Amino acid sequence: MGSLKVMPYRSRSRFTNWLGYVWPKGPDAFYKSNTDAFPSIPLGKYKADEGISSSTISKFYDTEIQDYVSVFTPGLASVLNSHSTLKNVKMGGMNKYVVSKEEGIPAGSELFMYYGADWHTTYDYVRSEEKEDHMTLDYVNEHMLFDALPTEQDKRSLMNSTTMRRQSNNDKIATLNSTKVKKTKKQQKRITKQQQQHDTKELPTVQTMEWLRKEGICIDRITTKKSSSLVTVTGRTEIPRGNVITATPMLALKRDDLNIYGINEGVSEQSPKFLNLQELVGKEEILNYCYGHDRSDLLLLPYGLFVNQINHNSINPNAYIRWADGQQDLLQQHPIDIINSTSKLLVEFVALRTIAEDEEITIDYGNKWEKEWEKHNNNKTSEEEEDDFRQNIGVPQDGFFPTHWLDTHLDYEIANINKKLEPGELQPFKWKHNGQDVTNHAYRLGLSKGFSDRILRYAKKLGIVDLYHDLLERNTLPKSDDWYVFNTTNDDDGEWFAQRYRTKDWAFNMHYVAAWSEKARVSFLRELNHAGLDVGLETLGQQFGLQNVTCFHASFMGVSECENSFTHTDVYASDDKAFNIIFPIVLVNGSEPELDIQSEDANVVTSVNYEYDTAIVMGDYGYHKTSPNVYDDKGNIRIVVGMYCGEINNENAKQLAHVYNGEDPAPFMNQFDTNEREVHWSPERGATLPK
């Protein structure tokens, strides 16, 4: 049926739509590598076109590097859909497509490949997920996997059996290694393999010629021929001037998607700093098949049949490209959004003049391409360097790319990120390029002037800042999940605990310090009230129509090194009535971004810095994590406060109790009893924090 064009793809881009058309070297090489999170992210939340990216039916071996590689294969391998029982085309030997049915394929039949059972498992699951409302507690109980996390009760149980304590004036440090925590929920069954056969009643796999002439695009006017060392595209029949020769969908990608970088030795492959972005090793061969403009970072990669073999002719080309009808709405979009609309773009190849039967089809690749090709041929010293040429094909310069696609950066940026907020002002994170929300669950919140400094003085009074220097600089708690309880210098401020949290699982040295006793809990809330938290609670209560607000957890979080952390959401399935409020009290001047926030479609991560007297508010399913950051200068640490608050009602009390502690009883659990809980804000009384 035709040849298979294979182009290796070695870069490490993830979560861009065009990767859905790359055959992976292993299952889910692009899409599942970053989906581990707490709680797990439903597959239906990912809006990128997964395409064949989770296929396992074909593997491509690179004899040069002696390993399997991911590849892009335009033509049938990208165009054909998959079906487990209706498959009638398969990849054969010597990179050929062959008909897999002995009886042949009837005219008008749709052609199907088979991507493999793993792909169908994922695809069918995504389709079912998209029909669900995964933001509800019922959905979580039915579908979500609850990972085991240490709870207050686990720590308290250990302390009851071992009376080891550390007094503030005692140099002896007693540590306890947390035992394995029981699962907070029974592990629910993972995605099971679903029935591979689609409902054939809904699959019109054979169409009439009348329907094809009306709805289809003719692609059998051309074929390929081997000419010397080149593969050429020729016309099967005469093609009159102005007629469409063929058409192809286009994949949209960024230029730097095709960069090949060196790696930083000794850095975890999971770390965003694994790639050495200062060491550009080369560019993917795929670049040679992309169409682009010199003033745009957007590239268009055709994957229709035969079009990648159409050669260059600047003297007497007989074809040109144009947008197909119905593309105007897409062309009005920002190029970043075009990337998210990949495969929806359609380009036609049109005859400039009458093309004779068997005449080669050619287009003009543009002046830039021709100059680079001449330079390459003049400089190469051996045939082996033939493959080193890298230059995209030029699009027509007379408006083929809309003007707003030119001279435009394709990096995701947040709008008004440096705006100074007034106390109580709530600002959603929005994308600069289109004004849309980054996620429905992330905000900046203005706090009272001097708020951060007030809490810093409180932390110093308790000895918590000095404690962090002890914990982070002298490695007081050497093992992951080591912890101890301590008294502050003032008995009125109660007992607190310090814990080195999950550094075995994650590559960072974050430590938590939080209230251990009731006296400590009330002391912290009192200080937050004096600092002006009432303004923030008023805003959240009014903005989200809450009937009441309870602050049910607060802790200090200090860190000086983070190579990689864990994507998570602290509150979820509360019916949009609970929030994690994060604000800094100690920052490092000139720090790189400190918090990664995941977009609503889970495909983009943007990084932000903390600001004094400003909180970052994460709501239900507001996925985030600590950004990679290492403060090299000794003594540099970052300390923030994270606080959970929200409306606790009869519908979400059980879920919020789980968020706080799992299923076992824990200190301060009366907060989740709607008859006994403290109310720290209500529409009728305003803020009622301890005074």
Side-chain angles (χ1 to χ4, degrees):
M1 291 188 66
S3 299
L4 182 65
K5 176 69 176 176
V6 175
M7 289 180 278
Y9 179 73
R10 294 165 293 264
S11 295
R12 296 179 178 274
S13 300
R14 288 178 177 140
F15 301 114
T16 53
N17 289 47
W18 91 271
L19 291 178
Y21 293 80
V22 174
W23 291 82
K25 63 181 179 181
D28 303 303
F30 307 112
Y31 283 82
K32 279 194 175 179
S33 54
N34 269 0
T35 59
D36 290 336
F38 171 73
S40 56
I41 303 171
L43 290 173
K45 194 173 178 67
Y46 292 85
K47 300 304 180 186
D49 188 342
E50 187 148 356
I52 55 180
S53 66
S54 61
S55 171
T56 54
I57 200 64
S58 294
K59 287 188 176 183
F60 297 87
Y61 190 79
D62 189 319
T63 56
E64 183 176 340
I65 65 173
Q66 296 185 350
D67 196 3
Y68 288 99
V69 294
S70 299
V71 301
F72 172 66
T73 91
L76 286 176
S78 293
V79 173
L80 300 190
N81 292 318
S82 176
H83 200 285
S84 59
T85 56
L86 299 179
K87 57 183 181 291
N88 47 26
V89 175
K90 67 180 180 180
M91 291 184 185
M94 301 298 293
N95 289 351
K96 296 286 186 181
Y97 301 108
V98 298
V99 176
S100 62
K101 290 198 170 184
E102 293 182 2
E103 66 273 20
I105 303 174
S109 299
E110 180 172 356
L111 303 181
F112 289 103
M113 297 180 68
Y114 181 54
Y115 296 166
D118 285 351
W119 183 89
H120 281 274
T121 298
T122 302
Y123 177 72
D124 292 341
Y125 185 73
V126 169
R127 291 174 64 201
S128 65
E129 291 274 307
E130 288 175 341
K131 300 175 184 178
E132 300 282 355
D133 180 8
H134 61 263
M135 296 301 176
T136 65
L137 176 59
D138 289 342
Y139 180 90
V140 170
N141 288 336
E142 183 177 353
H143 294 281
M144 203 68 79
L145 300 175
F146 288 89
D147 296 334
L149 290 178
T151 66
E152 296 295 329
Q153 177 61 24
D154 295 310
K155 300 164 192 168
R156 185 62 67 97
S157 296
L158 287 169
M159 183 56 67
N160 287 338
S161 61
T162 310
T163 58
M164 301 176 72
R165 304 226 173 179
R166 176 193 176 189
Q167 301 297 329
S168 59
N169 60 351
N170 190 342
D171 291 334
K172 182 178 179 180
I173 299 172
T175 63
L176 291 173
N177 293 328
S178 298
T179 59
K180 282 190 175 181
V181 182
K182 292 181 179 179
K183 296 293 184 183
T184 56
K185 261 195 178 297
K186 291 182 178 179
Q187 289 288 347
Q188 299 182 12
K189 292 182 179 179
R190 293 189 177 273
I191 306 171
T192 57
K193 288 194 173 183
Q194 300 186 10
Q195 184 178 4
Q196 296 174 15
Q197 182 174 356
H198 292 206
D199 186 354
T200 54
K201 294 180 181 178
E202 297 180 3
L203 266 173
T205 59
V206 180
Q207 300 290 357
T208 64
M209 294 305 296
E210 180 182 358
W211 184 94
L212 290 172
R213 290 190 185 97
K214 181 179 178 181
E215 303 292 341
I217 298 174
C218 181
I219 59 174
D220 68 351
R221 284 185 160 187
I222 58 176
T223 187
T224 57
K225 288 185 178 181
K226 190 73 175 292
S227 173
S228 65
S229 61
L230 292 176
V231 175
T232 62
V233 177
T234 60
R236 289 181 182 272
T237 61
E238 181 179 277
I239 304 173
R241 175 184 176 182
N243 276 25
V244 175
I245 301 169
T246 189
T248 177
M250 292 286 201
L251 303 175
L253 58 154
K254 295 164 57 176
R255 284 186 183 274
D256 60 12
D257 284 343
L258 301 183
N259 288 345
I260 304 173
Y261 296 105
I263 63 173
N264 289 312
E265 297 293 343
V267 178
S268 167
E269 187 171 347
Q270 296 303 313
S271 171
K273 295 188 177 182
F274 176 69
L275 295 182
N276 181 359
L277 300 183
Q278 306 304 314
E279 183 188 356
L280 182 61
V281 175
K283 294 180 180 292
E284 296 288 353
E285 180 188 357
I286 299 168
L287 178 64
N288 294 343
Y289 297 84
C290 291
Y291 288 70
H293 193 289
D294 295 346
R295 292 167 51 197
S296 177
D297 289 334
L298 181 69
L299 293 174
L300 303 177
L301 178 58
Y303 64 95
L305 272 68
F306 306 141
V307 295
N308 295 95
Q309 280 78 37
I310 294 178
N311 291 315
H312 167 66
N313 185 337
S314 61
I315 299 174
N316 188 28
N318 55 19
Y320 71 98
I321 63 170
R322 73 183 183 194
W323 293 108
D325 292 339
Q327 303 292 293
Q328 290 308 311
D329 288 345
L330 284 172
L331 298 182
Q332 298 304 313
Q333 294 183 11
H334 191 281
I336 291 179
D337 296 324
I338 288 294
I339 291 174
N340 290 331
S341 301
T342 192
S343 79
K344 297 179 182 178
L345 298 165
L346 189 65
V347 166
E348 296 174 336
F349 288 76
V350 183
L352 275 169
R353 55 175 173 78
T354 298
I355 301 173
E357 181 180 350
D358 287 333
E359 181 181 352
E360 182 182 359
I361 310 295
T362 60
I363 62 173
D364 185 355
Y365 285 5
N367 292 334
K368 177 70 176 295
W369 186 93
E370 191 164 65
K371 289 179 180 179
E372 291 297 321
W373 179 247
E374 290 176 358
K375 184 192 302 182
H376 170 75
N377 285 328
N378 291 335
N379 293 337
K380 72 177 183 178
T381 59
S382 67
E383 292 299 324
E384 292 181 358
E385 294 184 6
E386 183 76 33
D387 293 335
D388 293 340
F389 179 74
R390 296 290 184 269
Q391 175 62 42
N392 65 267
I393 300 169
V395 298
Q397 301 294 301
D398 55 350
F400 185 84
F401 268 28
T403 56
H404 62 278
W405 287 12
L406 307 179
D407 305 315
T408 302
H409 292 295
L410 300 189
D411 295 325
Y412 284 90
E413 297 179 304
I414 297 178
N416 301 317
I417 190 64
N418 296 318
K419 177 186 176 184
K420 184 63 179 177
L421 301 181
E422 295 296 321
E425 184 179 357
L426 190 70
Q427 178 191 59
F429 285 99
K430 291 183 178 292
W431 293 124
K432 187 176 182 179
H433 70 276
N434 61 13
Q436 296 179 4
D437 288 347
V438 174
T439 170
N440 298 332
H441 317 285
Y443 310 85
R444 296 172 67 225
L445 174 64
L447 301 173
S448 300
K449 185 177 181 179
F451 186 95
S452 294
D453 189 58
R454 172 87 188 219
I455 302 303
L456 174 59
R457 294 198 303 271
Y458 174 71
K460 286 182 176 179
K461 183 189 76 169
L462 269 58
I464 289 175
V465 175
D466 288 338
L467 174 65
Y468 268 118
H469 284 286
D470 185 62
L471 293 169
L472 299 176
E473 293 174 35
R474 288 179 283 279
N475 205 29
T476 306
L477 295 174
K479 296 180 180 179
S480 180
D481 293 326
D482 278 359
W483 63 283
Y484 60 75
V485 173
F486 65 95
N487 290 330
T488 64
T489 54
N490 188 337
D491 287 342
D492 291 339
D493 296 314
E495 289 183 315
W496 296 67
F497 75 89
Q499 181 194 19
R500 181 174 188 142
Y501 192 56
R502 299 201 74 170
T503 53
K504 182 178 179 180
D505 303 317
W506 311 337
F508 71 166
N509 68 348
M510 183 172 286
H511 289 65
Y512 290 77
V513 174
W516 179 261
S517 66
E518 175 69 10
K519 187 181 289 187
R521 184 187 72 86
V522 173
S523 169
F524 201 178
L525 289 175
R526 183 187 302 116
E527 196 64 31
L528 289 166
N529 181 34
H530 293 164
L533 182 62
D534 57 325
V535 176
L537 297 184
E538 178 77 23
T539 295
L540 294 179
Q542 295 288 354
Q543 184 74 28
F544 296 100
L546 306 181
Q547 299 302 307
N548 54 72
V549 174
T550 297
C551 301
F552 56 91
H553 174 72
S555 64
F556 296 94
M557 297 176 284
V559 65
S560 64
E561 298 177 5
C562 177
E563 182 179 311
N564 191 38
S565 61
F566 195 66
T567 301
H568 66 283
T569 175
D570 294 283
V571 293
Y572 49 95
S574 73
D575 197 23
D576 293 324
K577 297 188 184 301
F579 306 90
N580 180 22
I581 303 174
I582 313 169
F583 62 87
I585 62 171
V586 176
L587 293 176
V588 177
N589 290 333
S591 172
E592 294 182 8
E594 297 148 325
L595 186 70
D596 290 352
I597 298 175
Q598 189 166 260
S599 65
E600 185 65 20
D601 63 7
N603 297 325
V604 178
V605 174
T606 187
S607 302
V608 299
N609 286 93
Y610 291 111
E611 309 159 76
Y612 289 123
D613 299 339
T614 302
I616 293 177
V617 179
M618 306 299 298
D620 266 7
Y621 296 98
Y623 286 96
H624 61 283
K625 71 174 184 177
T626 301
S627 303
N629 228 322
V630 177
Y631 303 127
D632 295 325
D633 295 336
K634 190 174 180 61
N636 277 344
I637 61 174
R638 180 178 76 239
I639 304 176
V640 302
V641 172
M643 181 173 61
Y644 303 163
C645 67
E647 177 187 328
I648 300 174
N649 55 43
N650 291 328
E651 285 72 33
N652 67 16
K654 181 179 178 181
Q655 170 61 15
L656 289 178
H658 174 81
V659 168
Y660 172 68
N661 182 61
E663 295 180 333
D664 297 322
F668 323 134
M669 285 300 290
N670 59 339
Q671 299 170 107
F672 305 102
D673 185 328
T674 55
N675 295 318
E676 297 184 24
R677 74 186 187 286
E678 291 180 359
V679 173
H680 299 133
W681 177 89
S682 66
E684 300 79 17
R685 299 179 60 192
T688 53
L689 288 159
K691 297 181 179 179

